[in-house]
């Protein structure tokens, strides 16, 4: 699925960030020559890593759940609660996706550039919208799954 592809992209950016940071630190301390714009590049890659990894984490149920009380409830009640939680979560991330898209559009309209490298900022903001949209699709799938579980149990 798309969530796995996004996760691989996130892992690639994470690896590049590690190498870039290592080269920047070594260049600074050993040769007094840091990598120009490394802070900008790291700052732009971090949202990609986070946003692209979220949908895969949700797909794999890798998030932390505290089930101290809910594990003792009947399965149907658990499924109803999970449906409600997923619907609230979905609503929040639909808003995040929408507002991030609008923010990126505003950046395109004004031609916003980074301070050091003078590259457009909007592609990195759009990546957060894409990652959030992918997360919404995974959570929507979970809503239907929990709803079916609540109805048929």
């Amino acid at each position: 699925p798309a969530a796995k592809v996004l996760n691989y992209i996130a892992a690639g950016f994470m690896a590049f960030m590690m190498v870039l940071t290592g080269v920047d630190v070594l260049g600074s301390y050993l040769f007094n020559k840091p990598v120009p714009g490394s802070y900008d590049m790291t700052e732009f890659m971090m949202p990609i890593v986070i946003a692209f990894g979220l949908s895969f984490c949700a797909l794999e149920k890798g998030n932390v759940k505290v089930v101290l009380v809910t594990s003792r409830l009947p399965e149907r009640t658990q499924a109803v609660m999970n449906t409600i939680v997923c619907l609230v979560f979905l609503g929040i991330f639909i808003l995040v996706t929408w507002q991030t898209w609008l923010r990126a559009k505003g950046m395109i309209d004004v031609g916003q550039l980074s301070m050091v490298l003078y590259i457009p900022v909007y592609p990195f903001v759009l990546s957060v919208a894409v990652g959030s949209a992918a997360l919404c699709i995974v959570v929507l799938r979970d809503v239907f799954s929990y709803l079916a579980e609540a109805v048929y149990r």
Side-chain angles (χ1 to χ4, degrees), residues 5-116:
V5 172
L6 291 177
N7 192 54
Y8 285 127
I9 293 170
F13 274 101
M14 178 63 89
F16 182 71
M17 281 174 35
M18 292 186 317
V19 170
L20 176 64
T21 302
V23 169
D24 186 47
V25 169
L26 288 175
S28 293
Y29 286 110
L30 297 178
F31 307 111
N32 202 24
K33 298 273 185 192
V35 176
S38 64
Y39 183 79
D40 261 5
M41 288 186 277
T42 302
E43 183 179 23
F44 288 141
M45 287 186 280
M46 188 58 71
I48 294 171
V49 169
I50 294 168
F52 282 15
L54 283 176
S55 59
F56 184 74
C57 182
L59 184 69
E60 295 292 315
K61 304 285 188 250
N63 50 337
V64 176
K65 280 186 176 180
V66 179
V67 292
L68 187 63
V69 175
T70 58
S71 63
R72 297 183 178 144
L73 297 173
E75 288 182 15
R76 175 178 251 162
T77 305
Q78 289 181 38
V80 169
M81 290 176 66
N82 286 334
T83 303
I84 293 168
V85 168
C86 282
L87 283 170
V88 170
F89 187 86
L90 180 63
I92 291 168
F93 266 86
I94 286 172
L95 289 174
V96 168
T97 303
W98 171 50
Q99 289 299 309
T100 306
W101 180 265
L102 291 179
R103 177 81 173 128
K105 185 180 176 315
M107 290 176 166
I108 292 169
D109 292 343
V110 298
Q112 186 171 346
L113 303 174
S114 68
M115 298 294 278
V116 176

